[in-house]
Amino acid sequence: MSDDAILFSVDAGVARIKLNRPDRLNSFNDAMHAQLRQALDRVKTDTTVRVLLLTGSGRGFCAGQDLADRAVAPGGTGVDLGASIERNYMPLVLTLRALPLPVVCAVNGVAAGAGANIALACDIVIATQSASFIQAFCKIGLIPDSGGTYWLPRLVGTARAMGLALLGDKLSAEQAEAWGLIWKCVDDAQFESAVEQLVGQLAQAPTKGLAATKHAIYAAEGHLLDQQLAMEREVQRMLGNSEDYREGVAAFAGKRQPQFKGR
Ligand code: T3D
């Protein structure tokens, strides 16, 4: 096993981040947050990267905060969790949402606590059939953080959001797909190839257009129709000047496959 809390690589337009504390179900400690921040900084600035894949090592995706790092005990003093959220979880979620490229989360096993909600912060969530999602916070007296109270009602409606958050039951990947919490659940045997096919496709796609699409869809959550239409007009104006748009139209006319450059 590697000592690195994450594994990071960039190849053929795909940046890969693998959470790598499998003996702790890839739960977050400070080292993992720091290494993740560094990797995301590189993704932000490396113009060769056209898709980011986030996944986990071993049998789990991520079990949220490493509770072994929280030295609290009954009768003792509390801890300022707000400081941890401010320093680590908030910037992580906001960075994933803001990246100017598609972010795929491949949920390879259990995703619990902040682990579940960081998966939901990604643009496309694909899960292996044996994976599951657990809003574990209620079992330790906390609220769903890392965007949990924001994504859950939007993705599955208030009734299901409440059930998941207040009961902390395990939601299977299949049920998560059926409820619209995630994009897709794939048989365990096909999971790896499905993930590779997905990131391969996105790495060849018109990155600027995809980035603008994700940002427009997220912006729609706070817009009225006329505001959204105005936004679409402005974004389309910008994309009409992109190299990839010209290539897409030329490829269509020439009845050939487009060769997008992400510009
Ligand atoms: O603190 C702050 O900064 C505020 C932010 C908080 C964000 C949060 O994420 S709070 C929520 C924290 N997470 C949890 O409460 C989940 C805790 N884990 C579990 O409930 C279970 O492990 C799972 C349901 C995820 C999986 O269960 P199972 O039976 O498949 O595995 P297991 O046996 O419980 O776990 C395997 C090992 O990983 C085990 O270690 P051991 O006994 O083999 O030495 C277990 O202790 C360890 N582990 C799992 N989750 C965590 C963990 N160790 C530390 N922290 C964890 N979160």
Side-chain angles (χ1 to χ4, degrees):
M1 200 185 74
S2 152
D3 283 342
D4 297 334
I6 69 160
L7 303 177
F8 177 61
S9 64
V10 175
D11 184 41
V14 184
R16 294 164 195 272
I17 295 177
K18 194 177 247 197
L19 307 178
N20 191 40
R21 304 183 67 233
D23 55 330
R24 286 283 166 271
L25 294 182
N26 304 318
S27 55
F28 279 98
N29 61 6
D30 283 345
M32 191 155 101
H33 275 298
Q35 290 174 32
L36 191 50
R37 248 191 314 273
Q38 253 182 16
L40 289 171
D41 282 347
R42 160 95 191 272
V43 171
K44 268 188 234 166
T45 52
D46 184 338
T47 52
T48 69
V49 177
R50 294 173 64 183
V51 57
L52 168 63
L53 173 64
L54 177 65
T55 191
S57 292
R59 73 175 177 91
F61 167 65
C62 174
Q65 171 63 39
D66 186 330
L67 296 176
D69 277 7
R70 296 284 169 261
V72 287
T77 51
V79 53
D80 180 5
L81 298 182
S84 157
I85 303 273
E86 174 103 31
R87 185 175 62 250
N88 294 321
Y89 293 98
M90 270 179 69
L92 170 57
V93 167
L94 293 174
T95 298
L96 290 171
R97 288 297 258 212
L99 279 177
L101 40 81
V103 179
V104 172
C105 184
V107 181
N108 54 298
V110 64
N117 294 332
I118 283 155
L120 300 181
C122 298
D123 304 316
I124 295 187
V125 186
I126 181 168
T128 197
Q129 196 170 10
S130 52
S132 55
F133 297 82
I134 309 174
Q135 295 294 325
F137 308 88
C138 58
K139 305 202 171 153
I140 54 170
L142 299 181
I143 66 163
D145 61 24
S146 305
T149 58
Y150 184 89
W151 335 118
L152 290 173
R154 283 172 170 78
L155 291 169
V156 299
T158 305
R160 284 171 171 162
M162 283 295 181
L164 291 171
L166 299 185
L167 302 172
D169 288 349
K170 181 188 278 198
L171 185 73
S172 70
E174 256 177 323
Q175 196 65 61
E177 182 197 283
W179 282 5
L181 187 72
I182 63 168
W183 164 241
K184 203 173 260 188
C185 162
V186 177
D187 280 350
D188 291 356
Q190 270 94 55
F191 180 61
E192 241 174 75
S193 58
V195 170
E196 287 309 311
Q197 194 278 328
L198 181 59
V199 295
Q201 178 181 335
L202 291 168
Q204 304 290 314
T207 315
K208 258 193 171 179
L210 298 195
T213 301
K214 90 177 219 187
H215 291 140
I217 287 176
Y218 294 142
E221 283 159 3
H223 279 171
L224 297 172
L225 177 61
D226 58 339
Q227 295 170 313
Q228 191 66 13
L229 290 172
M231 181 182 185
E232 290 174 0
R233 178 194 63 216
E234 292 313 308
V235 174
Q236 221 65 307
R237 182 170 279 151
M238 182 266 292
L239 291 172
N241 286 309
S242 70
E243 238 180 74
D244 281 345
Y245 169 66
R246 291 193 289 274
E247 167 62 8
V249 174
F252 176 77
K255 297 189 187 304
R256 62 172 173 81
Q257 284 301 310
Q259 300 293 316
F260 293 121
K261 303 271 176 19
R263 294 194 287 261

